[in-house]
Amino acid sequence: MKEISCKLLVIGAGPGGYVCAIRAGQLGVDTVIVEVGKPGGTCLNVGCIPSKALIHAAEEFEKVAHMAGCDSPLGISVTVPVLDLARTVAWKDGIVSRLNSGVAGLLKKAGVKTVHGWATFRDGKTVEVETETGMQVIRAEMIVIATGSAPVELPFLPFGGPVISSTDALALGEVPKRLVVVGGGYIGLELGMAFAKMGAKVTVVEALPRVLAQYDAELTRPVVKRLSALGIEVMTGAKAKGLSTKGDALLIETSDGKNAKIAADKILVTVGRKPVTEGWGLEQIDLDKAGRFIRIDDQFRTSMRGIFAIGDVTGEPMLAHRAMAQGEMVAEIAAGHKRSWDKRSIPAVCFTDPELVTAGLSPEEAKARGEIKIGVFPFAANGRAMTKLGEDGFVRVVARADNHLVLGIQAVGQGVSELSTAFGLALEMGARLEDIAGTIHSHPTLGEGFQEAALKALGHALHI
């Protein structure tokens, strides 16, 4: 049995874990990171990156298919395209592999020692790792738990056979003819829309009264319109009940209480994610919980001295960039720097078609704090959106009525994910409506909609 000691031990090499380890290494902290799989975690390997690759491929295929099926306003005509999904998946896997190697290289460059295997706590300072070459014991002054999350499995629809998770969906060798998506949240709609563009007949089953319920109805209206245009049937107020006896259909209860059956080749279950807290020996250290998650303070310290937790195991929002920011901060605390969590904004992006971006407070949340001003600018009046055939959507700015401090920014539209950085920066810097309105925005760009929304809130929009 081998034993090593270090100052900082990071368990999990996902976005939070590997950023924490890299930053700690840069600061001269003796750091070890443990990962049972490939570096990058869910996001890089079976989440953010591969799903965006598949979504992009689907968008490109749909564009070409549309040009083959009718007179394109762009004047382009092509023959009917053919999709080789296996080749698409291979391309996606190539991107993931390159990024895996990149993360591993960055860890090595920062002087971080990587141990491959499954870590289990012995006590608050000691972890044992089952590796291919035997048991490795690691003793550390400080430990960071960054074990991430996993798809929630429904007991009456266990994964296997025709029932697949988002991870399975990203590795399919062919497009299913009939795909039923259980869960109308962002993961289900992102993948459901992608497969619909690739030729699948898609049905979405959502128990709540509407899809994307975490967003306000005004923001999601363009997405709902696009779902219909893609031929996706959306069944709201409907509950999945189980798999048919033959395994070729999903049994549901409709919104009016009737039993029904939806034929399906694959059933994609996307009803949320859960923190990965089992199998790590956490019962040996008895950390306080906040529901299913590990309870932390504003420095990500757990209830046990010297043990930190970051990322999805600490609760919502389960976003890679939140975990990264947390990881960087913990590394600096480990190096003796004074840091605490004080973020005004963690932007969130939904990569549906069109895309959704939210940063800061929603109009409803802002109203609960006092009188507000709202400015909305539609992309139908934006030249760049017109030239990209993406006029559906808008930018919305929410600010205090008295001093015009910006409280929240939302957008829906083609490519608006790239505006999330500007939104987050404005909130983090404490921008007021006048700051945004007075900033010269490049023309023609979608970003002009941000300036115009601020102008609208101030009462003098220029282009509407």
Side-chain angles (χ1 to χ4, degrees):
M1 184 180 293
K2 301 177 183 178
E3 289 195 16
I4 59 174
S5 297
C6 62
K7 183 171 183 179
L8 181 68
L9 170 63
V10 182
I11 302 175
Y18 80 69
V19 165
C20 182
I22 289 170
R23 183 61 182 138
Q26 290 174 343
L27 293 169
V29 178
D30 180 21
T31 305
V32 174
I33 191 167
V34 178
E35 173 58 56
V36 69
K38 295 180 180 179
T42 294
C43 180
L44 195 160
N45 292 289
V46 292
C48 321
I49 302 301
S51 67
K52 301 314 162 288
L54 194 70
I55 288 168
H56 176 67
E59 288 173 347
E60 294 299 296
F61 180 73
E62 194 221 4
K63 285 179 184 177
V64 179
H66 182 72
M67 291 172 184
C70 66
D71 292 330
S72 168
L74 303 180
I76 302 172
S77 60
V78 297
T79 57
V80 177
V82 176
L83 177 69
D84 182 348
L85 185 59
R87 188 172 176 181
T88 304
V89 169
W91 166 73
K92 175 264 295 181
D93 290 342
I95 293 172
V96 171
S97 179
R98 286 165 55 197
L99 290 171
N100 285 145
S101 299
V103 172
L106 290 169
L107 288 166
K108 185 177 181 180
K109 180 181 177 182
V112 177
K113 178 178 175 57
T114 300
V115 177
H116 299 283
W118 189 273
T120 306
F121 277 93
R122 282 187 175 181
D123 55 47
K125 297 289 183 182
T126 312
V127 166
E128 59 183 26
V129 184
E130 187 65 51
T131 72
E132 291 182 354
T133 58
M135 187 67 72
Q136 173 86 70
V137 175
I138 307 173
R139 303 187 190 279
E141 294 179 30
M142 292 173 283
I143 298 176
V144 180
I145 300 171
T147 51
S149 62
V152 171
E153 184 177 45
L154 294 173
F156 50 86
L157 279 175
F159 296 133
V163 182
I164 61 175
S165 67
S166 57
T167 299
D168 303 319
L170 294 170
L172 291 175
E174 60 181 14
V175 178
K177 293 181 179 179
R178 303 165 299 177
L179 174 68
V180 176
V181 179
V182 178
Y186 72 95
I187 296 175
L189 292 195
E190 284 182 3
L191 293 176
M193 295 179 94
F195 279 107
K197 290 176 181 179
M198 290 188 285
K201 170 57 181 173
V202 177
T203 304
V204 176
V205 176
E206 170 56 58
L208 295 176
R210 61 186 184 86
V211 295
L212 297 174
Q214 66 269 48
Y215 303 101
D216 64 84
E218 182 184 17
L219 196 63
T220 60
R221 193 169 293 116
V223 179
V224 173
K225 177 182 174 183
R226 183 70 170 128
L227 287 167
S228 178
L230 287 170
I232 297 176
E233 182 180 2
V234 178
M235 304 181 70
T236 54
K239 299 178 182 178
K241 307 296 286 186
L243 193 63
S244 65
T245 305
K246 293 183 179 179
D248 60 352
L250 175 70
L251 305 178
I252 68 166
E253 180 182 312
T254 63
S255 58
D256 56 5
K258 296 180 180 178
N259 292 323
K261 182 187 294 187
I262 307 173
D265 299 297
K266 294 292 181 183
I267 299 170
L268 172 59
V269 177
T270 58
V271 293
R273 297 184 64 83
K274 60 182 180 181
V276 178
T277 55
E278 296 181 0
W280 305 97
L282 295 184
E283 63 277 1
Q284 299 298 322
I285 52 177
D286 193 27
L287 300 178
D288 287 351
K289 294 286 194 68
R292 299 180 301 168
F293 303 102
I294 298 174
R295 185 174 64 80
I296 54 173
D297 64 10
D298 65 353
Q299 291 184 309
F300 313 124
R301 295 174 297 192
T302 68
S303 56
M304 179 169 281
R305 185 186 301 273
I307 298 182
F308 299 81
I310 60 175
D312 290 1
V313 290
T314 64
E316 297 287 353
M318 290 185 176
L319 298 170
H321 43 283
R322 169 179 175 262
M324 289 175 170
Q326 290 176 324
E328 181 185 13
M329 199 183 95
V330 169
E332 296 193 355
I333 291 172
H337 297 193
K338 291 185 178 180
R339 291 288 308 274
S340 63
W341 188 255
D342 181 23
K343 297 294 181 186
R344 290 182 180 222
S345 168
I346 304 175
V349 179
C350 178
F351 290 88
T352 46
D353 180 11
E355 296 172 345
L356 296 167
V357 175
T358 61
L361 302 181
S362 69
E364 291 73 20
E365 291 168 334
K367 283 177 185 175
R369 300 190 179 192
E371 191 176 348
I372 62 172
K373 286 180 175 289
I374 297 177
V376 179
F377 185 80
F379 284 124
N382 178 273
R384 182 58 175 153
M386 293 178 186
T387 63
K388 290 170 64 68
L389 298 178
E391 298 179 36
D392 283 343
F394 57 85
V395 180
R396 183 174 64 197
V397 178
V398 183
R400 283 178 52 161
D402 56 358
N403 62 7
H404 298 173
L405 179 70
V406 177
L407 302 175
I409 312 162
Q410 302 85 35
V412 55
Q414 187 184 109
V416 295
S417 57
E418 298 302 326
L419 299 181
S420 62
T421 301
F423 296 171
L425 182 63
L427 290 167
E428 198 68 29
M429 297 289 286
R432 300 178 189 273
L433 291 172
E434 289 83 356
D435 296 318
I436 299 168
T439 299
I440 297 175
H441 289 63
S442 298
H443 175 77
T445 63
L446 297 179
E448 289 178 278
F450 187 21
Q451 180 187 31
E452 289 281 358
L455 287 166
K456 181 70 183 301
L458 289 169
H460 51 87
L462 295 173
H463 289 91
I464 49 172

